[in-house]
């Protein structure tokens, strides 16, 4: 190639710099420890604001029988084991027992902050997804867990009512007609709204139907495995018994 041709060639473009990997700022690294310590900070603030109640509770604990406190602690720890059994019984996949019990301890702690069990379900859903469980399977297991626990609790209560009929005065527990009417009206309204939404909103109908199919498939499979049935229903029945033992 002649000297003239070499001089007319365009100069090579400079290589594009490689994008540097994003570095987490110091503030971002401190967010998670701050969130972990936030509940402890809130407890400390509450103790300072309501010092009289905190002091009275500490005094009662200090004067209590340490062996009974130890027994209550043992039964409290067993409630986490029972909850872990129900969680495992509601899912076909096998979960690591130690991490599952630890997740239920964390779920119980979160449940003290958020109402209606939302904290426990949120922590458990996150744990199941980290274990590779798909979102429909995880949500189906949460729904089965939420359904089995009140059914098992009601059966345990009925057994105790039959065995000890004089323990509770049922007349004082039955709500009046107005309360029953309001509850029935609210339930009917909720079912009607849900039915209308499923019929009219196609984007909502498809995931709901998929969720129901997944849930029914898992329920049929779980109830063909005796180990899962024992964990699911046995753990759900043991939970109110353990909670009552803590109070006793």
């Amino acid at each position: 190639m002649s000297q003239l041709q070499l001089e007319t060639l365009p100069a090579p473009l400079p290589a594009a710099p490689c994008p540097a990997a994003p570095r987490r700022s110091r503030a971002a690294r401190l967010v998670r420890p701050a969130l972990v310590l936030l509940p402890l900070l809130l407890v400390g603030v509450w103790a300072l604001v309501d010092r009289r109640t905190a002091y009275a509770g500490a005094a009662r604990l200090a004067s209590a029988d340490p062996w009974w406190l130890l027994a209550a602690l043992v039964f409290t720890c067993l409630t986490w084991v029972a909850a872990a059994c129900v969680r495992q019984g509601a899912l076909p996949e096998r979960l690591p027992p130690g991490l599952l019990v630890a997740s239920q301890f964390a779920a119980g702690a979160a449940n003290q902050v958020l109402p209606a069990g939302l904290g426990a379900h949120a922590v458990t859903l996150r744990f199941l997804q980290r274990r590779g469980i798909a979102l429909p399977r995880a949500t189906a297991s949460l729904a089965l867990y939420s359904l089995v626990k009140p059914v098992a609790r009601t059966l345990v209560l009925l057994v105790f009512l039959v065995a000890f009929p004089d323990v509770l005065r049922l007349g004082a527990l039955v709500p009046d007609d107005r309360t029953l009417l309001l509850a029935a009206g609210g339930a009917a309204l909720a079912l009607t709204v849900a039915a209308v939404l499923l019929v009219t909103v196609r984007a909502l109908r498809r995931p709901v139907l998929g969720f129901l199919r997944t849930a029914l498939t898992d329920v049929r499979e779980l109830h063909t495995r005796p180990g899962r049935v024992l964990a699911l229903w046995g753990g759900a029945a043991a939970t109110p018994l353990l909670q009552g033992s803590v109070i006793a």
Side-chain angles (χ1 to χ4, degrees):
M1 185 177 292
S2 64
Q3 183 68 24
L4 180 60
Q5 290 176 329
L6 289 177
E7 292 178 354
T8 58
L9 288 177
L13 296 174
C18 297
R23 300 180 61 182
R24 296 176 61 188
S25 63
R26 184 176 182 181
R29 291 195 301 267
L30 294 177
V31 169
R32 180 172 295 181
L35 292 177
V36 172
L37 295 176
L38 181 61
L40 298 178
L41 178 62
L42 294 177
V43 171
V45 171
W46 168 80
L48 290 176
V49 172
D50 199 359
R51 291 186 296 272
R52 184 173 301 177
T53 302
Y55 176 79
R60 293 196 65 180
L61 283 176
S63 62
D65 189 331
W67 294 108
W68 279 116
L69 290 179
L70 179 61
L73 177 62
V74 170
F75 282 117
T76 301
C77 295
L78 290 178
T79 59
W80 306 328
V81 177
C85 289
V86 184
R87 299 288 187 187
Q88 178 62 87
L91 199 65
E93 289 84 358
R94 181 173 178 80
L95 300 171
L99 291 178
L100 182 56
V101 174
S103 72
Q104 294 314 292
F105 169 76
N111 219 26
Q112 306 301 318
V113 181
L114 297 177
L118 294 178
H121 289 329
V123 171
T124 302
L125 183 63
R126 175 67 173 166
F127 169 73
L128 294 179
Q129 289 187 289
R130 291 294 296 270
R131 300 307 305 176
I133 308 298
L135 182 60
R137 305 288 302 280
T139 52
S141 71
L142 295 182
L144 181 59
Y145 175 91
S146 302
L147 178 63
V148 166
K149 286 196 70 176
V151 173
R153 186 181 299 115
T154 302
L155 294 176
V156 171
L157 179 61
L158 291 177
V159 169
F160 272 89
L161 288 178
V162 172
F164 308 100
D166 298 331
V167 173
L168 291 178
R169 297 179 180 178
L170 296 180
L173 298 177
V174 176
D176 55 15
D177 296 340
R178 182 180 179 182
T179 304
L180 289 175
L181 183 61
L182 289 175
L189 179 62
L191 291 176
T192 303
V193 171
V196 170
L197 289 177
L198 289 178
V199 171
T200 58
V201 184
R202 185 176 181 180
L204 181 64
R205 182 168 65 250
R206 296 183 65 180
V208 169
L209 292 178
F211 162 77
L212 291 177
R213 283 194 294 267
T214 302
L216 292 176
T217 302
D218 286 352
V219 167
R220 286 195 298 266
E221 180 182 352
L222 289 169
H223 284 81
T224 60
R225 302 165 66 174
R228 292 292 190 271
V229 174
L230 179 61
L232 181 64
W233 291 98
T239 299
L241 298 177
L242 293 171
Q243 292 171 342
S245 300
V246 174
I247 297 174

